[in-house]
Amino acid sequence: MNETFLVRTFGCQMNKHDSERVTGLLCAAGMRPVTEASEADVVVFMTCCVREHADERLRGQVASLKSIKAKRPGGQTVVIGGCIGQRDGALLLKQLPHVDVVFGTHNLSHLPSLLESARIERHSVVEILDATGEFTSDLPGEREHSWHAWVPVMVGCDNFCSYCIVPYVRGRERSRVFEEVVAECERLADDGVLEVTLLGQNVNSYGRDLYGEPRFAELLNAVARTGIARVRFATSHPKDLSDSTIAAMAGHPQIARALHLPVQSGSDRILKAMNRDYTSTHYLKLVDRLYATMPDLALSTDIIVGFPGESEDDFADTLGVVNKARFDQAFTFIYSPRQGTAAADMDAQVPEDVVHDRFDRLVAAVQNCALDKNRKLVGTVQRVLFTGASKRDASVLAGRTEGNKVVHVRLPEDRDADDYAGRFADVAIEEARIWSLTGYILQDIGVKRSG
Ligand code: SAH
Ligand code: SF4
Ligand code: F3S
C-alpha cells in the first residue's frame, strides 16, 4: 500500500502555491493524498505567521495530532514547513515534541529527502536555509483546480513595512527569469489552464534585481499573449504601480480588470510610521488614474486598524480614503505585533476596546462601498468562470467574475455542478449582495476544462 499524506495550508497565495508543490513532490515520491488526518501517514503544515491568530491556530492543530499519532499503529510523521518553520526552526521541537520534520521557505524541494532522513535516523530533522536558490514553480505540482495555476514571478520582499514579518521569513526580493515565466504560462495554456495568477509580495518591482529596472508591465503584456484566457496578479504596492502597468491592464482583455492595492491606512502620519513610502493623496490620485483608464475596474485593498499611535483623527482619515476609493472589497485586519519587526517596539499600542470599535466601523464602511459597487452591476452581463457547486447549497453554482466577485446561479435541471467547474459562461446579473451577485446563465461559452 502506498504511504498517505495530508497537506494543511495557512496564509497567503504563495503558501497555496507552495502546497501544490508539496503535493506534487510527495505524489512524485509515490505517496497518495488523503483528506482525513487520521488516515495520513504524513501530515504537512504549510504555515503563516503574518498575524498572531495564524500562529495560535497552527499550534492548536499540531497539538491535536498528538493523540492521533499515538493511536495509529504505524504512527504518523508530523511536518511543519512554510513561514513559521522558517522563523522558529528547532524551537518548534521544544514546544511541540511530537513534530518530526521542520523545513522553511527556501528548501521546499528537500522535503522528500528530509522525510527519508527522519525515517532512517529515527529522530527529528530540522533544516532551515537563509536564502532561496529555487523557484517552487520549477518543482512538480498538483494543481488544486485543473483550470487555474499560481505562477510566482518573484519571491521575498525588500520593503520592510514596520509591522510586517514577511521580509524576515521570505527573504530578499528575487525575480524569476522573464522567459521562464512566459514559457511556463505557455505550457499552462497548452495544458488547458484558463486562469493564472502571477504572484509576488510586490509584483510591481518584478525584474529590478535581475534587470536593473522593473519589467512587470512588459511581463504582463507577454503573459497576456500566451493564450491564457484570464490573467490576475497580486500584490501591487501603491508606491511602485506604474502607468505602464495600468496601460497593460487596460490594453489586454485577457488581463482581469481587478486590482489588489493595499492602502493599509488613510493617515499620512501612520503611513510614514508604517514605512509605506506614499501618502493618502498619492494613493487617491493613483485610484483616480485607474478609474479614468478603466471605469469598470474592481479595486480591493488591505487595511490595518490599531497600528501603534493611531488616533481617532488618523482613523477618520482611513474611513475617508475608503469612501473616496470606492473599494469593491477590503481585507481588514487588527494590528498584531510581530516580534522582530520595528512596530513591535513602538510605544502607544492602541487599547483593545478602541481597536474593536474602530474595526466594526471600518467593516461597516467597507460593506457599504462593496454593496454600492455590486449594485451597479445589476442588469449587466458578466463573464463568469465557474468553480463548481456552492459550498452552502449543492443546487447552486458558484463562480467568479473578471472583477473577482463571487456569482451564484441556479444549477440548470438534470445537470451536474462538476460539468460547469472550469468553464466560462456569460451571466445576467439580477441581484447584488455585499459579497456576492446572483443571476442566470445567458450563454455557456463552453470552454472545456482540461483533465
Ligand atoms: N505583500 C503583500 C501582502 C502582505 S501580508 C502586501 O504588501 O500587501 C497581507 C496583509 O496582511 C498586509 O497587506 C497587511 O494588511 C496585513 N498585515 C501584515 N502584517 C500585519 C500585522 N502585523 N498585523 C496586522 N495585519 C498585518
Ligand atoms: Fe509586508 Fe510590506 Fe513587504 Fe507587503 S510590501 S510583504 S506588507 S513588508
Ligand atoms: Fe503568511 Fe508567509 Fe504568506 S507569513 S502571509 S504565509 S508569506
Side-chain angles (χ1 to χ4, degrees), residues 148-159:
H148 177 268
W150 309 107
V151 177
V153 302
M154 61 190 303
V155 290
C157 182
D158 291 350
N159 286 319

Side-chain angles (χ1 to χ4, degrees), residues 208-356:
R208 196 178 285 160
D209 56 318
L210 275 187
Y211 306 110
E213 57 179 6
R215 288 182 68 185
F216 187 61
E218 216 182 306
L219 187 68
L220 270 184
N221 286 324
V223 171
R225 292 191 199 101
T226 55
I228 299 280
R230 195 178 260 179
V231 180
R232 300 188 186 282
F233 57 94
T235 298
S236 291
H237 196 302
K239 77 178 164 63
D240 293 320
L241 179 71
S242 66
D243 285 344
S244 52
T245 296
I246 299 175
M249 284 182 82
H252 295 280
Q254 297 85 350
I255 303 177
R257 291 193 171 184
L259 184 68
H260 187 59
L261 193 64
V263 65
Q264 312 296 3
S265 168
S267 152
D268 291 347
R269 211 173 59 80
I270 297 295
L271 285 171
K272 193 157 197 289
M274 285 177 162
N275 194 28
R276 289 291 286 179
D277 217 14
Y278 56 85
T279 60
S280 57
T281 310
H282 170 87
Y283 187 88
L284 289 172
K285 275 194 181 152
L286 200 50
V287 169
D288 280 347
R289 281 216 295 290
L290 283 161
Y291 284 134
T293 323
M294 294 171 282
D296 54 348
L297 177 75
L299 187 64
S300 58
T301 200
D302 293 344
I303 301 172
I304 297 175
V305 199
F307 185 83
E310 183 190 73
S311 68
E312 189 53 35
D313 281 352
D314 294 319
F315 178 67
D317 288 344
T318 298
L319 288 181
V321 167
V322 168
N323 292 325
K324 285 186 194 130
R326 291 167 287 140
F327 294 119
D328 292 81
Q329 192 174 14
F331 299 91
T332 47
F333 305 109
I334 288 179
Y335 168 70
S336 168
R338 303 281 68 201
Q339 210 185 359
T341 63
D345 297 327
M346 288 179 187
D347 294 334
Q349 306 279 336
V350 184
E352 221 173 288
D353 53 334
V354 175
V355 177
H356 283 283

